[in-house]
Amino acid sequence: MKRLYLFLIAFLVAVVLPVSVHAADKYRTDAEHAIAIEAQTGKILYEQSATTPASIASISNLLTIYLVYEAIDQGKLSLDTPVAISDYAYNLTITSPVTNIPLDKRSYSVQELINASLIASANSATIALAEQVAGSEAAFVDLMKEKLASWGISDATIVNATGLSQELLENKELSEDQKATENRLSALDVAIVARRLIVDYPQVLRVTSQSHFKLNGTTYYGTNPMLRGGAYERNGVDGLKTASGTSMVATSVENNMRVITVILHTKEGDVYPEKRFIETMNLMNYAYQYFTWTPIVEAGQPYHDSKVNVFNGKEATARAVASQDLMFAKRKRYKEETLAKAKGLDKVFDAPLTKGTVLGSLALHDTDLIGHGYVDNKQPSVDLIAAEDTPPATWPFSWWNHFVRYVNEKL
């Protein structure tokens, strides 16, 4: 009873009260591993034991679905492609204790299986998608490892498409050691996977924002109560994935900023599975209270009078403006000005110079970094482009300009 009382107090604090300003430096989640990042730039807003690999269970589905969307993007299949349910995948729905939904029809579209995999965490649906993409789950695992390596993730353990313990899959050909292995990623790795999925295939959010879906005339409900209408509803939450009662990857857009949070293995989560939602709520409170989406330069505007020299132009210089907004998550109490560095503007351009021509780049120079700073170790940048057309100088100025250049270069 005492443990339940303490749990209810923690819930009320998480939902009703924001994280204390004075306690910001001491804030810790009640989970073994955690991280929060801003999605567009990948800036790390908070981390706690975020680089130690841990079992991730069905969070693995995020990587699986990424590869499904990639296969669609490559024209290898479509959302309407029918997928046969193999005996292996089907038998798991009737003989195994793993999370599943009935797949008695034995053929479903890619979209239906994506819904089942992400919303209901149906493991057989995930396996069927992996087999459709790669021919077998083993071949699909190789694709998963290759994709992680391409993102710079080198500490992962990937043994299947679902994240299930191998012993639950009842594969008799595996050794005892292999049966005990599970998919393992660090919280940082999971954040990288979730960010890549959202950035490269934002349509996934149309799936993960659904609290339920229909299959074979039956309505199946998801496991994310932070969505609209859920017990832990939070405005702005539109995904992503819960796992094993103790872990959760979530994303929310609030104050024009999208944040991704990863909570792995909440303490006492096996007893109180709701705790992962409370810890996710707390971590989102922290991120949105202490960071704000801040412009460095807006699209169409110069940065600190950025310009280039123009040879033989009607004007001697041309304004270099941002091709799009350069934004970042600024810690509110960080008082030093965050700057950017322009590159390429020392080059002289020949007239005529057309509006929109790329003249250089502008890269953020953020010095207020947490942990790795940015998940891909790369700060955001935008192109600097010509703000307007610069026509050539009129004769005789044009003749004189070319004569002077010839003398300087040839004589």
Side-chain angles (χ1 to χ4, degrees):
M1 180 61 70
K2 181 179 179 182
R3 293 170 67 188
L4 178 59
Y5 174 76
L6 294 174
F7 176 75
L8 291 174
I9 292 296
F11 167 72
L12 290 173
V13 170
V15 174
V16 178
L17 299 177
V19 178
S20 166
V21 173
H22 299 293
D25 289 335
K26 298 180 180 179
Y27 168 68
R28 289 184 62 83
T29 68
D30 199 18
E32 293 181 16
H33 314 279
I35 193 169
I37 68 170
E38 187 280 311
Q40 181 173 316
T41 65
K43 180 172 181 174
I44 296 174
L45 312 181
Y46 175 87
E47 67 170 17
Q48 177 183 313
S49 301
T51 58
T52 303
S55 59
I56 59 169
S58 62
I59 287 172
S60 306
N61 293 10
L62 298 180
L63 178 55
T64 296
I65 298 304
Y66 183 98
L67 292 171
V68 172
Y69 279 128
E70 185 176 65
I72 293 172
D73 202 32
Q74 295 169 348
K76 296 177 180 178
L77 65 159
S78 73
L79 291 174
D80 296 324
T81 299
V83 179
I85 307 302
S86 67
D87 290 343
Y88 168 50
Y90 177 72
N91 288 337
L92 285 176
T93 68
I94 58 177
T95 63
S96 175
V98 302
T99 304
N100 256 317
I101 61 175
L103 297 176
D104 296 335
K105 199 169 70 171
R106 300 298 294 263
S107 179
Y108 298 87
S109 71
V110 168
Q111 183 64 75
E112 289 175 321
L113 294 175
I114 289 175
N115 293 344
S117 175
L118 288 181
I119 301 174
S121 200
N123 288 285
S124 288
T126 306
I127 292 169
L129 288 169
E131 292 174 336
Q132 178 69 26
V133 170
S136 69
E137 187 177 16
F140 189 82
V141 166
D142 290 338
L143 295 181
M144 296 172 77
K145 292 177 180 178
E146 290 172 8
K147 183 57 65 177
L148 291 176
S150 73
W151 291 334
I153 297 174
S154 58
D155 56 352
T157 299
I158 300 294
V159 296
N160 55 48
T162 60
L164 288 169
S165 170
Q166 286 294 88
E167 59 185 352
L168 289 176
L169 295 175
E170 300 179 348
N171 191 326
K172 304 302 184 182
E173 297 179 1
L174 295 178
S175 68
E176 290 304 315
D177 288 341
Q178 289 174 316
K179 287 181 182 180
T181 60
E182 298 178 77
N183 290 356
R184 297 176 67 85
L185 293 176
S186 68
L188 173 62
D189 297 338
V190 172
I192 291 172
V193 172
R195 176 174 178 256
R196 285 266 53 93
L197 178 58
I198 291 173
V199 170
D200 294 346
Y201 303 110
Q203 63 266 37
V204 71
L205 296 172
R206 294 199 295 268
V207 178
T208 61
S209 61
Q210 299 178 51
S211 61
H212 60 278
F213 69 102
K214 285 189 175 182
L215 189 69
N216 295 339
T218 301
T219 300
Y220 295 95
Y221 291 88
T223 58
N224 184 358
M226 295 186 71
L227 298 173
R228 180 179 299 178
Y232 295 85
E233 176 181 350
R234 183 186 180 103
N235 289 335
V237 172
D238 52 6
L240 282 169
K241 188 74 183 65
T242 63
S244 68
T246 64
S247 301
M248 183 176 191
V249 183
T251 184
S252 177
V253 177
E254 301 170 36
N255 303 324
N256 299 315
M257 181 171 68
R258 178 175 289 282
V259 168
I260 298 170
T261 59
V262 180
I263 293 289
L264 298 181
H265 302 293
T266 52
K267 298 171 184 177
E268 298 184 327
D270 291 334
V271 179
Y272 302 117
E274 299 87 355
K275 196 171 183 180
R276 54 187 163 165
F277 311 126
I278 295 172
E279 292 306 319
T280 296
M281 189 81 73
N282 275 334
L283 188 50
M284 285 186 172
N285 285 343
Y286 178 91
Y288 286 113
Q289 184 175 354
Y290 288 100
F291 293 86
T292 182
W293 195 227
T294 303
I296 290 291
V297 62
E298 296 180 353
Q301 297 300 314
Y303 179 73
H304 291 182
D305 194 33
S306 52
K307 58 187 177 181
V308 296
N309 293 319
V310 181
F311 170 73
N312 194 40
K314 191 172 182 180
E315 303 292 338
T317 61
R319 291 191 306 144
V321 299
S323 61
Q324 57 189 26
D325 294 345
L326 180 59
M327 309 278 294
F328 80 114
K330 178 179 174 60
R331 197 191 316 234
K332 293 179 182 178
R333 63 180 183 170
Y334 187 69
K335 302 304 180 184
E336 295 184 25
E337 181 183 7
T338 300
L339 302 174
K341 292 183 178 180
K343 295 182 180 180
L345 300 188
D346 53 348
K347 178 181 176 181
V348 178
F349 290 81
D350 288 355
L353 186 61
T354 304
K355 178 181 179 179
T357 300
V358 176
L359 307 176
S361 63
L362 184 68
L364 182 69
H365 184 56
D366 185 2
T367 56
D368 181 29
L369 304 180
I370 297 170
H372 286 66
Y374 288 77
V375 294
D376 57 2
N377 295 313
K378 181 181 178 182
Q379 297 199 20
S381 64
V382 298
D383 288 335
L384 290 172
I385 60 175
E388 54 267 323
D389 293 335
T390 303
T394 57
W395 191 92
F397 298 104
S398 178
W399 177 88
W400 176 253
N401 290 336
H402 282 91
F403 174 75
V404 171
R405 171 184 272 187
Y406 177 81
V407 169
N408 289 336
E409 294 181 354
K410 303 297 182 180
L411 300 180

